[in-house]
Amino acid sequence: MLTKTRLFTPGPTLLPEQIRLAMARDMIHHRTAAFAALMREVQAGLRLLFDSEDVVLPLASSGTGAMAAAACALFSPGEKVLVVEGGKFGERWTQICRAHGLLPVVLPVPWGEAVSPAAVAGALDQDPGISGVLIQHAETSTGVQHPVEAVAAVTRSRPVLLVVDGVSAVSITPCPMTRWGLDCLLTGSQKGLMLPPGLALIALSPRAWARAETLPARNFYFNLCAERKYCLGGQSAFTPPVSLIVGLAESLRLFGEAGLATVYRKQWALTALVRGGVKALGLDLFVKEHFAWGVTSILLPEGISSGPLLARAAERYGVIMAAGQDAFKERMVRIGHMGWLDYADLLAALHALAGSFRFCGGYCGGRNYLEQALDAYWTALDEGPPLPV
Ligand SMILES: *Cc1c(COP(=O)(O)O)cnc(C)c1O
């Protein structure tokens, strides 16, 4: 009664009422004209969102399913791929590659830092046997955004496919496939798309499709070439998650009404708000430079651990944030700000952060941190992000 429960986790995220209502409608059958019409509408919206020249395939799985599907569809056992490993999700690429018999060559990046495109070029020059680069656009475990456009400038002139995990980036920060020259872009439903978990989306470039068509299918369920054929006919190979696709049509409609540039501008401004507030509190932002637009990571000082802080924030303020991962589990708090959130929600998150931090015995500064956060928000919203979107 006292508070609303608000999710500030880096997925799943809150759902707008329009999407919840759309998903509550009765079932439509997936081998009907009604479903084909739905798929046509969704494809048009997705092609814009991904900036894809070809279909964007829906898969019934979480985001990781699409990562596995990509590794399997584009590379053969024994083939070498370069994995940018700067956090938990980079490590997931390595694990997926190993599980499917690929030979991952790891390019380690310290947690909290972005990969250097020159280092990618260097690794590729050193080993001409490498035929792919696997990367996250936003590494959600650390809050870093890798410079994917610059990495694509390295791969697009070589016979090397660039596969981008955009689960916490698509619809949060621009990642135009065709304009940048990405070969595969994938995402999941429960982050920027404002949907429940369970739907993954994946698109391939023309040269990636050409590659996929030459390889024998090694996966019966996640067979992208087969899915593509069905998708072109407004269907899917197996029973699709129909309600999630209905919800997706609604979320794409919302993006269409607002315009993608406005969606990105808002995400940028929300990031400025959180970073401004955290700085005004005197707390330590984990990522200094290449920060993601959907999650902000805060390094806690000695003596304060995330567990009790997050518990207090949830109980007292109804604010659900996330801890760090692995070595940073206790030392980090992550505030997710993807999708269906606005500036007022994030003021509650900052207030809960400050109050819970003090409750746990921490000292943090100025009482006007909310005003400073708001100043940062409106300035960022008016100025817009530093790249054309
Ligand atoms: C959330 C996330 C995933 C996918 O996780 P699932 O639990 O499989 O949906 C993958 N990569 C990144 C960068 C993510 O943030």
Side-chain angles (χ1 to χ4, degrees):
M1 268 314 277
L2 207 53
T3 61
K4 295 183 190 171
T5 299
R6 291 181 166 90
L7 288 185
F8 298 96
T9 41
T13 59
L14 295 169
L15 312 177
E17 186 179 35
Q18 294 95 313
I19 292 182
R20 281 183 275 130
L21 289 175
M23 294 189 56
R25 282 186 219 132
D26 208 347
M27 196 46 47
I28 55 174
H29 196 274
H30 57 288
R31 306 289 181 215
T32 59
F35 184 78
L38 173 68
M39 278 288 268
R40 267 197 302 280
E41 180 189 345
V42 163
Q43 281 305 315
L46 286 175
R47 280 195 196 212
L48 278 179
L49 180 63
F50 279 62
D51 181 36
S52 173
E53 289 181 68
D54 210 293
V55 292
V56 181
L57 298 174
L59 301 173
S61 76
S62 80
T64 306
M67 293 171 75
C72 227
L74 297 173
F75 307 103
S76 301
E79 212 170 339
K80 278 193 207 165
V81 293
L82 186 72
V83 176
V84 174
E85 206 184 85
K88 222 31 203 175
F89 291 100
E91 289 170 12
R92 187 168 298 179
W93 270 136
T94 304
Q95 292 168 328
I96 289 171
C97 290
R98 295 218 169 98
H100 291 280
L102 313 186
L103 302 179
V105 177
V106 172
L107 179 59
V109 177
W111 283 43
E113 290 177 24
V115 72
S116 135
V120 173
L124 295 177
D125 287 342
Q126 212 173 25
D127 191 342
I130 295 175
S131 55
V133 174
L134 278 47
I135 193 171
Q136 272 60 45
H137 193 187
E139 172 51 81
T140 320
S141 64
T142 63
V144 162
Q145 184 149 301
H146 288 303
V148 161
E149 182 180 11
V151 173
V154 172
T155 53
R156 67 193 300 177
S157 57
R158 302 168 197 243
V160 173
L161 298 179
L162 179 60
V163 181
V164 179
D165 165 2
V167 178
S168 61
V170 170
S171 74
I172 293 165
T173 184
C175 29
M177 275 187 87
T178 305
R179 183 141 53 99
W180 287 1
L182 318 183
D183 293 296
C184 174
L185 179 64
L186 60 94
T187 193
S189 50
Q190 78 275 27
K191 309 220 173 163
L193 289 172
M194 313 180 290
L195 295 167
L199 178 72
L201 299 163
I202 181 166
L204 304 188
S205 69
R207 75 170 182 169
W209 276 120
R211 178 82 218 266
E213 297 287 357
T214 64
L215 299 182
R218 288 194 292 131
N219 203 315
F220 182 76
Y221 186 67
F222 291 124
N223 180 338
L224 296 185
C225 294
E227 284 293 349
R228 180 170 181 271
K229 290 197 185 85
Y230 278 94
C231 190
L232 288 169
Q235 300 216 347
S236 60
F238 309 106
T239 313
V242 175
S243 300
L244 282 164
I245 295 175
V246 170
L248 175 62
E250 200 59 39
S251 109
L252 293 169
R253 249 173 248 145
L254 292 174
F255 290 151
E257 280 163 21
L260 283 175
T262 302
V263 173
Y264 299 139
R265 183 177 279 249
K266 182 189 107 169
Q267 284 296 144
W268 166 253
L270 292 179
T271 308
L273 184 154
V274 177
R275 291 180 69 87
V278 169
K279 260 188 235 161
L281 283 167
L283 298 178
D284 198 1
L285 287 163
F286 185 57
V287 181
K288 307 293 180 229
E289 213 181 326
H290 294 275
F291 49 86
W293 297 13
V295 61
T296 297
S297 44
I298 300 149
L299 207 52
L300 298 171
E302 205 71 38
I304 310 282
S305 63
S306 64
L309 191 157
L310 293 174
R312 175 71 177 178
E315 279 158 30
R316 171 86 161 176
Y317 304 93
V319 163
I320 317 295
M321 300 177 288
Q325 291 186 289
D326 285 357
F328 289 97
K329 184 166 172 42
E330 288 301 325
R331 295 176 56 203
M332 191 187 282
V333 166
R334 290 176 302 148
I335 303 181
H337 36 87
M338 306 169 178
W340 188 239
L341 289 163
D342 72 359
Y343 71 96
D345 293 309
L346 281 167
L347 293 180
L350 283 174
H351 176 59
L353 175 71
S356 308
F357 183 77
R358 291 192 181 111
F359 178 79
C360 292
Y363 171 80
C364 59
R367 298 204 67 85
N368 65 347
Y369 65 95
L370 294 177
E371 273 171 51
Q372 294 196 40
L374 281 168
D375 280 348
Y377 173 76
W378 292 112
T379 305
L381 195 69
D382 291 341
E383 286 174 359
L387 68 170
V389 297

